[in-house]
Amino acid sequence: MSQTTEKPKALNVLGTTLESCCIDPMTGYWRDGYCRTANEDQGTHVVCAIMTQEFLEFTKSKGNDLTRPIPAYQFPGLKPGDKWCLCILRWLEAEKAGVAPKISLKSTDDKALEYTTIDLLQKYAIDE
């Protein structure tokens, strides 16, 4: 009997196969374009969001300047319009503050549903 080492396909919050969020800039905890997570990802980077100036200023005010490049982490620095895999808790914090960016449901990992509801995510959806 042969054993397979293939991982099951990741699912998005819609219950379908997780789609790539962005490859330019290359995003994701694994820097593979996908908003997937693992035990070592303490931030749970599962939300595919489209950056806005308001959100970038908000997260900078919380101590995480996403506009500043950090080459050691293959991080280019972000600008409005870029797609990026965000930490679910930061996105929820931004939502409460009224500055949550729009998201791609097709590219947001179903792990996000452990933190919030599909109804809330759909309010910010750029897709269906």
Side-chain angles (χ1 to χ4, degrees):
M1 223 182 257
S2 68
Q3 291 184 346
T4 179
T5 56
E6 247 183 77
K7 290 169 43 175
K9 291 212 185 275
L11 298 178
N12 60 37
V13 294
L14 301 172
T16 58
T17 301
L18 184 67
E19 294 182 10
S20 175
C21 177
C22 187
I23 57 168
D24 187 19
M26 187 63 78
T27 191
Y29 178 76
W30 305 107
R31 292 298 189 263
D32 63 357
Y34 290 86
C35 299
R36 300 176 297 126
T37 190
N39 290 336
E40 53 270 24
D41 175 13
Q42 295 181 10
T44 314
H45 293 80
V46 296
V47 178
C48 179
I50 297 88
M51 297 298 97
T52 63
Q53 188 63 39
E54 295 78 16
F55 175 77
L56 291 169
E57 288 172 7
F58 172 78
T59 195
K60 183 177 181 179
S61 77
K62 299 296 182 183
N64 187 15
D65 184 359
L66 295 176
T67 63
R68 186 174 52 90
I70 307 172
Y73 290 103
Q74 301 172 0
F75 182 69
L78 302 176
K79 61 188 180 315
D82 286 343
K83 285 186 175 179
W84 195 252
C85 295
L86 292 181
C87 301
I88 182 66
L89 294 178
R90 179 52 48 93
W91 185 86
L92 288 169
E93 188 179 28
E95 197 279 330
K96 285 188 188 336
V99 294
K102 296 284 187 185
I103 64 174
S104 168
L105 298 178
K106 293 176 182 177
S107 301
T108 296
D109 193 282
D110 67 349
K111 178 94 171 165
L113 298 175
E114 293 179 18
Y115 297 85
T116 191
T117 66
I118 188 66
D119 291 336
L120 180 61
L121 296 172
Q122 285 174 326
K123 290 179 184 179
Y124 294 87
I126 58 166
D127 51 16
E128 301 193 10

